[in-house]
Amino acid sequence: MDQSALPDCTPASLDVEAALAQVLDALTPLPGSEQIALDLALGRVLAQPLVAAMDLQPWPNSAMDGYAFAVSDLDQALAKGLALAGTSMAGHPFTGTLDPGECVRILTGAILPAGCDTVAMQEHVAVHGDQIRLTANVPRGANVRAPGEDVRTGSVVLPAGTRLGPPQIALAAALGQARVVVNHRPRVALFTSGDELTPLGQPLAAGAIYDSNRYLLRAMLQQMGMPVIDLGIVADDPDAVRSAFAAARAQADVVISSGGVSVGDADYVREVFSEFGDIHFWRIAMKPGRPLAFGRLDETWFFGLPGNPVSTAVTFLEFVRPALCRLEGEPLTAPLRVELPLLEPLRKAPGRMDFQRGIVAIDKDGRPGVRSAGPQGSHVMSSLAAANCLLVLPAASGDLPAGSLVEVELLPWTGTPAAHGQP
C-alpha cells in the first residue's frame, strides 16, 4: 500500500526524535573485539585507546631545506659567515661534531645535528664555496620541529570508540602501530519482500518491477563496511516470511527487510515478525518513510523499512545507520547538519517532519545555498540519485520562500557541491 494513502498522523505515530531515541536507548555495543593488521582496519572502530609508545616527531628535525647552526653563532653568521661542515639528509644524519663557527647543510625532515638549535631557510643564506652567510636575522629555534611536538609518549592519541579513517590510520602508522584492537561489526541479514519484485536479468511481467531496494541497501551497508547476508527476495507469503526470519535470526545481529510493513492485505512482514519477537514501534511521523518497524527477536534486532525506494533510503540513513554505529561501539553523536539559505521556493505540507532531497550548490555570487533535487515522491529515484543532501524540515513547517534558512544533512555517498547551482 502506498504510504501516501495513510492518514497523515495518528496517535500511534512517533516523532522522529523520539523514535530514534528509543532505538538508540535499546541498543548496546556488541560484545567482543579482535586484533587486526592496520592495513585491514579502515572503517573499523577502536575497542581500546591507541596510546603513543613514542614521541612524534621522535627526533628534532628540520622543517625546511636550509642550514643548521647554533644561535650563539648568529652574529658571526650575519657578519663574517660560517664554515660548512657537512650535510644532514632525511635518513642520513650528520654524525660529526661541530666546532664554534660551523654549520651544516640540512634538508627537510633531517635530524638536527648535535650542537645546533636553529635552521636558516636557504632563501636567507648566501653561499660562497664552503662558507655561508645569513642575509636575514633568524630567531632561536626557527624551522626546528621538537621531539614530541605532535604527540608525547604515553598520551592517548585515539580514544576507544574512534572510527578509523585515512588520517587515523596514518597516525597509527606514524607511531609504529602495526596492529589495532577493534570492536566486532554487526552481521546484517537483508531481504526484500513482494511478489512484484523481479531479479535483475529476468524479463518484467505486467505490473512487476526490478528489485532495486536490495541493491540500494546492500550498497549502503557495504559503504559502512558491514558484513551482509543477502537472503534475496521473499514472496508475499507468511511461510516464506517466517523462513526468512528464522534464517536471519540464526546468523545475524540485525535483520533489515524492505516492504511488507504497511497495512496492505499482502503486507505480512510486520505481522509475521510479531510471532517471533516484539515490535517496539511501526509508525513514524516522517515523510518519506512513515511505515517503519523496529523490534527484537531474541538477540537479533529488526528494522522493517518501507517498500518505496526513497523511503527505504531515508529511513536507513536516519535510523539504521546510527543504530549500526551504536552496535559497533561508536559514541552517539547527532548527525552533522548545517543551515543554508534556499536558492528557490520550496513546497511542504505541515504535519510530518520532511526529509526532502536537495542539492547544495554555489550560487552565481559564490555563496553556498540549497535547492530541491527534483520531484519528491517516495518512488522517484532520479532525484535521490541527483541529490547530495537532505533538507530536514520540521513537522510544523509549511511552504518556504527563497532565502529561508533550512537544516541540511549531507548524504554520506556524495562529493563536493557543484558550482553555480548545477548538480
Side-chain angles (χ1 to χ4, degrees), residues 35-41 50 172-173 175-180:
Q35 188 180 80
I36 62 173
L38 185 64
D39 58 1
L40 300 177
L50 180 61
L175 291 166
Q177 193 79 30
R179 301 180 69 82
V180 289

Side-chain angles (χ1 to χ4, degrees), residues 196-277:
E196 76 280 13
L197 300 179
T198 302
L200 301 188
Q202 296 186 15
L204 286 179
I209 59 174
Y210 285 117
D211 179 22
S212 61
N213 282 3
R214 194 157 47 91
Y215 285 84
L216 170 68
L217 289 168
R218 192 166 61 195
M220 289 194 289
L221 290 165
Q222 288 171 339
Q223 187 182 51
M224 295 182 69
M226 297 296 166
V228 179
I229 303 160
D230 192 338
L231 300 178
I233 300 171
V234 175
D236 283 329
D237 173 78
D239 288 337
V241 176
R242 287 187 187 95
S243 296
F245 277 128
R249 179 175 59 180
Q251 54 189 324
D253 302 297
V254 176
V255 57
I256 302 171
S257 71
S258 175
V261 293
S262 189
V263 293
D265 291 340
D267 289 337
Y268 297 114
V269 171
R270 180 173 55 87
E271 174 187 333
V272 171
F273 179 84
S274 298
E275 301 172 11
F276 286 79

Side-chain angles (χ1 to χ4, degrees), residues 26 56 133 146 158 227 264 269 286 315 335 352 355 373 386 389 407-408 414:
L56 192 63
R133 184 177 61 82
L158 297 173
V269 171
M286 67 182 290
T315 51
R352 287 186 280 172
F355 294 84
C389 70
E407 274 198 320
V408 171
T414 57

Side-chain angles (χ1 to χ4, degrees), residues 13-377:
S13 296
L14 284 172
D15 65 48
V16 173
E17 293 87 354
L20 180 58
Q22 191 174 136
V23 170
L24 297 179
D25 287 347
L27 302 177
T28 56
L30 297 175
S33 61
E34 58 181 325
Q35 188 180 80
I36 62 173
L38 185 64
D39 58 1
L40 300 177
L42 181 64
R44 300 297 296 270
V45 174
L46 284 179
Q48 298 175 0
L50 180 61
V51 178
M54 57 182 278
D55 282 345
L56 192 63
Q57 301 289 323
W59 319 100
N61 68 76
S62 178
M64 295 282 181
D65 290 348
Y67 295 85
F69 64 99
V71 78
S72 57
D73 288 334
L74 179 61
D75 290 343
Q76 180 178 338
L78 289 166
K80 298 189 301 181
L82 303 175
L84 189 59
T87 300
S88 181
M89 297 185 295
H92 300 280
F94 176 81
T95 57
T97 301
L98 292 183
D99 293 326
E102 291 185 329
C103 68
V104 167
R105 169 69 169 156
I106 193 165
L107 302 184
T108 302
I111 291 179
L112 199 68
C116 296
D117 54 20
T118 303
V119 172
M121 66 176 66
Q122 59 189 18
E123 292 85 349
H124 296 161
V125 172
V127 181
H128 305 282
D130 60 357
Q131 293 279 322
I132 68 104
R133 184 177 61 82
L134 298 191
T135 59
N137 197 9
V138 181
R140 180 191 294 272
N143 305 312
V144 173
R145 300 167 178 156
E149 185 177 300
D150 185 0
V151 172
R152 291 285 189 184
T153 302
S155 62
V156 175
V157 292
L158 297 173
T162 298
R163 190 171 294 277
L164 298 173
Q168 292 79 23
I169 296 286
L171 179 57
L175 291 166
Q177 193 79 30
R179 301 180 69 82
V180 289
V181 180
V182 296
N183 292 327
H184 286 313
R185 278 183 157 160
R187 299 161 299 167
V188 183
L190 167 66
F191 68 87
T192 48
S193 175
D195 287 345
E196 76 280 13
L197 300 179
T198 302
L200 301 188
Q202 296 186 15
L204 286 179
I209 59 174
Y210 285 117
D211 179 22
S212 61
N213 282 3
R214 194 157 47 91
Y215 285 84
L216 170 68
L217 289 168
R218 192 166 61 195
M220 289 194 289
L221 290 165
Q222 288 171 339
Q223 187 182 51
M224 295 182 69
M226 297 296 166
V228 179
I229 303 160
D230 192 338
L231 300 178
I233 300 171
V234 175
D236 283 329
D237 173 78
D239 288 337
V241 176
R242 287 187 187 95
S243 296
F245 277 128
R249 179 175 59 180
Q251 54 189 324
D253 302 297
V254 176
V255 57
I256 302 171
S257 71
S258 175
V261 293
S262 189
V263 293
D265 291 340
D267 289 337
Y268 297 114
V269 171
R270 180 173 55 87
E271 174 187 333
V272 171
F273 179 84
S274 298
E275 301 172 11
F276 286 79
D278 298 321
I279 293 286
H280 291 212
F281 60 76
W282 72 278
R283 287 188 178 187
I284 307 296
M286 67 182 290
K287 180 183 179 181
R290 183 176 171 197
L292 166 68
F294 169 65
R296 185 171 187 170
L297 54 107
D298 297 333
E299 298 302 314
T300 301
W301 294 100
F302 167 62
F303 289 91
L305 308 186
N308 279 318
V310 180
S311 302
T312 297
V314 172
T315 51
F316 181 95
L317 291 170
E318 300 305 317
F319 290 92
V320 182
R321 185 182 175 92
L324 294 174
C325 291
R326 170 72 165 152
L327 289 172
E328 200 178 355
E330 193 172 12
L332 298 179
T333 56
L336 179 61
R337 293 173 181 167
V338 297
E339 280 194 335
L340 289 175
L342 286 174
L343 299 175
E344 60 189 17
L346 197 68
R347 297 188 63 81
K348 179 194 179 293
R352 287 186 280 172
M353 179 174 279
D354 200 347
F355 294 84
Q356 294 198 15
R357 285 141 276 172
I359 296 174
V360 174
I362 307 302
D363 68 14
K364 58 184 176 57
D365 297 318
R367 294 172 298 193
V370 63
R371 61 180 175 83
S372 173
Q376 295 295 318

